Amino acid sequence: FATVGGGAMILRALGLNSASLPLQTLCFSFFCGVGLLGWLVFYIGALGYLNAPVLVGLLCVMSTGLYFIDWADLKPLTFQRPSVLVAILFGLLAIALSFDVAEALSPAADADTLAYHFETPRQFIERGEIFAIPRAYDGAIPLLIHMTYTVALALGGEGALNVWTMLPGWGLGLAMYVVISHFVSHRWALVGALLILTTPAIVYAAGTGQIEPRTAVFALLTIFAATHIDSGNAPFRWAILTGLFAGFFAGAKITGLIFVFSV
């Protein structure tokens, strides 16, 4: 709720919360909110206020942005002529998402997540602040996504953290659907969402602490927003949104600086 609400505030400020595109607004709101949450929590931790009451307060404030979401327009996907193909696609999507649920309910198992992606937030919570963790080949790493992990771990323990890692994985499928549906039919957009969710790299990493599935969404939405800059419809606002998503990528992983330069 906090990430969707915080992102809705950003979209409202930019005037890009179009009621005619409810799924796009929901998708953009969620991932803008993920970036906003990670950005704000970093400063809270840097000031030494990384504790449950402060984090709960932040989530409550961000959740007030839900007021800007037109929930009446968020209706389930409907098709004029439901077909066997559509039923099969939804069934396959349900199977793919069920695997994500199973992964989220299981303890983390990969070494990178255990030794680094989840361990770093645990150390921050233990000390109640963010501190530098020097690394040999890239110095201090960007922490945008790790800050969202810190919130989940601080407030709900490892179980909440595992479930939280699942949600942006689902969001990747939603983002792929939203982007593709602008160019092809809803059926083919569902195929695109199914393909991305069943890609081996996503099946393996989306429910773990790995950063790449999250940066994949930031990259996808950056390019999508960039294609609207020349559309003549509020180009400056779309340029700001492009910069935000690209900046979230850079804030999540240092190679995102290459992506920002490319954009």
Side-chain angles (χ1 to χ4, degrees):
F1 288 141
T3 51
V4 173
M9 291 180 184
I10 294 177
L11 293 184
R12 180 60 178 263
L14 293 176
L16 295 176
N17 55 330
S18 173
S20 62
L21 300 169
L23 277 181
Q24 176 179 304
T25 300
L26 181 64
C27 178
F28 279 21
S29 295
F30 177 61
F31 283 103
C32 276
V34 169
L36 178 63
L37 179 64
W39 186 72
L40 291 174
V41 173
F42 176 83
Y43 292 103
I44 290 174
L47 293 172
Y49 293 104
L50 204 59
N51 56 69
V54 173
L55 294 178
V56 169
L58 173 63
L59 296 184
C60 290
V61 170
M62 290 180 62
S63 296
T64 61
L66 293 172
Y67 172 79
F68 300 117
I69 297 287
D70 192 345
W71 297 101
D73 287 326
L74 292 176
K75 300 174 182 178
L77 293 176
T78 56
F79 300 87
Q80 292 182 347
R81 295 180 180 178
S83 64
V84 175
L85 173 62
V86 172
I88 291 174
L89 288 173
F90 273 116
L92 293 174
L93 278 170
I95 293 172
L97 296 178
S98 68
F99 283 128
D100 294 333
V101 173
E103 187 177 21
L105 296 178
S106 305
D110 66 292
D112 201 19
T113 295
L114 289 171
Y116 170 51
H117 293 298
F118 285 3
E119 173 63 12
T120 300
R122 189 196 67 78
Q123 293 182 23
F124 290 160
I125 294 168
E126 190 175 65
R127 286 184 44 170
E129 62 178 352
I130 293 172
F131 56 92
I133 302 177
R135 285 155 54 100
Y137 67 92
D138 60 2
I141 61 146
L143 293 169
L144 188 87
I145 298 299
H146 290 85
M147 292 296 93
T148 69
Y149 294 170
T150 302
V151 177
L153 184 61
L155 300 182
E158 184 181 353
L161 177 55
N162 285 332
V163 173
W164 168 245
T165 59
M166 176 189 74
L167 293 179
W170 286 10
L172 175 59
L174 175 62
M176 184 63 75
Y177 174 85
V178 165
V179 171
I180 295 179
S181 63
H182 276 259
F183 307 101
V184 297
S185 69
H186 291 295
R187 291 176 176 83
W188 281 109
L190 283 173
V191 172
L194 179 63
L195 286 175
I196 194 66
L197 288 176
T198 54
T199 300
I202 300 303
V203 172
Y204 163 73
T208 70
Q210 304 282 339
I211 299 299
E212 286 73 19
R214 287 85 190 158
T215 59
V217 183
F218 291 145
L220 180 65
L221 296 182
T222 297
I223 300 305
F224 182 67
T227 62
H228 286 71
I229 295 176
D230 291 333
S231 66
N233 181 21
F236 186 68
R237 296 174 181 179
W238 283 105
I240 294 175
L241 189 63
T242 300
L244 279 174
F245 281 132
F248 291 154
F249 189 163
K253 195 171 181 69
I254 201 165
T255 50
L257 294 173
I258 302 172
F259 179 73
V260 169
F261 177 79
S262 302
V263 174

